[in-house]
Each structure stands twice: as C-alpha cells, then as structure tokens.
Amino acid sequence: MNTSAPKTFFSLGFAIALWLAAPALHALPFADTVVSFTPGNSSFPDSIYGVEDDSGGVYTGRSGEGVFDARAVTALDGAVLGLGGSAGIPGSIILHFSSGEVVDGPGADLRLYDTLSFRDGVNVEISADGTHFMNALFSAGDLSYFKCSLQQPCAADVDIADLQLDAFSYLRITAAGNIVQGFPEAYTLDAVEALHYRSTAVPEPGTLALFSLAAVGLAFVRRRND
Ligand SMILES: [Ca+2]
C-alpha cells in the first residue's frame, strides 16, 4: 500500500497555507499615517521643503518644491520629503503606526530612511499616545557624506531599550543638527520602518482560515508519522 501520496499532499497543503499566510503576517510595518506636518523656514526663498521623487515611477503622489504629500513618507520607494528648516523653525512631521506598535527587541527597534544625497541631521521623539513625546534619538548628520540612496539608504536607528516607554506608535521627526540648504532642504525622509512590532489588528478571516487549514494538515501529517 502506498502511504506516501496522502502525506505528500498534506505537507504540500501545509506549505502552501503557510506561504499564503506569510505576506499578511510579515508585511513590512512602515509608519502608515501622517498626523501632521509643519514645514520649516528656509533661508533661501526658492529652496524650501517639498517632495523629491527619485523612485523611477514607483511613487505616484505629488512632488516638487513647497509640496507635501503623505504618500512620500509612508513607503520606502526613493520619494522623500525634505522637512525644511535652515532658518528659524526646523521642519517637523508626526507619523503613526495605525495597526500596531513598535516594541523593544534585540538591537534597534525603529529605522528612519533617508535616501537622498546628504546625511542630514535629525531629532526623533516617540510617544504612546500622540500627545506626550520623549526624546529617542539625535543624529547630528554629516554633510560631508552625500551618497544616501534607495540602494544604500542612510539609516537612523532608534533603540528603546533604555527609554521609559515599552511601546509606542507615534513619532515626531524634526530637522536638527547639520541641515543642508537647497531643495529639498534639511532632513529628507523616505519612510519609517518598525524593526520590532506588535500588531493590534485583528487577523483577516482569510488568514485565520489558512491557519486552520495548516493546523489540520500538520495534525494529519503528525498522526500518520506516529
Ligand atoms: Ca518614500
């Protein structure tokens, strides 16, 4: 009697179920919502904040000097928002993870991506409620380095291990330290990624069904192997 065929079938079913469920479980958690954006003041009347699109057609939002579009900072695609702020008030943006929160894990927990030219200075504050923020990172930047790109992003990492906050879903990014002048001015943010994340979203029915299928398949395979 050939018993290998059913086993193979259920193993395959289990593998497919896991494969289908994986994208839903491990979708890259980028900050997906812009709560507010306050452009900085510029010492150059014609070189201010705005969106620079170097995505090669991937980004479909608006771009240009003096333009703000939330889509520029909610996907890692080579489209960036220059916050502005070479004179007076530095530009500042508040972002939110709407379906979960960043938590503490080994090493860095949050990563900012600057993918355009200069390694601009930046200050990062985090908040659990969107109202009370605490300092989490200051990076002075380095304007002698100007090779930040989508292929080789300039990352700014935040580790919350030593902060008195176990989890957060809001962050405020403010131009600071060394600020480049000229469009797009100051810190050029592409996207913000959670490296350690706890989802608060309810799994979709489809995902649950796939898990059930996987569990049944696994139980069946184990029984046959006993
Ligand atoms: Ca982007």
Side-chain angles (χ1 to χ4, degrees), residues 70-149:
R71 288 170 287 184
V73 293
T74 49
L76 182 59
D77 53 11
V80 301
L81 172 69
L83 301 179
S86 65
I89 301 169
S92 187
I93 187 169
I94 297 177
L95 289 144
H96 182 219
F97 291 88
S98 67
S99 62
E101 53 195 2
V102 181
V103 296
D104 187 30
D109 306 308
L110 181 81
R111 178 165 293 165
L112 277 61
Y113 289 95
D114 174 354
T115 62
L116 185 77
S117 190
F118 294 98
R119 190 193 295 274
D120 310 280
V122 67
N123 194 66
V124 182
E125 299 158 278
I126 59 176
S127 171
D129 59 9
T131 302
H132 304 91
F133 285 85
M134 69 165 60
N135 282 316
L137 176 78
F138 168 71
S139 172
D142 178 5
L143 300 189
S144 70
Y145 185 86
F146 47 87
K147 294 180 179 176
C148 306
S149 68

Side-chain angles (χ1 to χ4, degrees), residues 38-82:
T38 307
N41 296 340
S42 177
S43 53
F44 286 75
D46 297 326
S47 58
I48 50 178
Y49 76 94
V51 175
E52 169 77 9
D53 177 12
D54 286 350
S55 72
V58 175
Y59 173 72
T60 56
R62 293 176 298 123
S63 60
E65 295 184 27
V67 169
F68 167 70
D69 192 320
R71 288 170 287 184
V73 293
T74 49
L76 182 59
D77 53 11
V80 301
L81 172 69

Side-chain angles (χ1 to χ4, degrees), residues 3-16 213 217 220-221:
T3 57
S4 64
K7 191 166 124 185
T8 304
F9 174 79
F10 277 99
S11 295
L12 187 62
F14 177 59
I16 290 174
L213 177 64
F220 187 85
V221 169

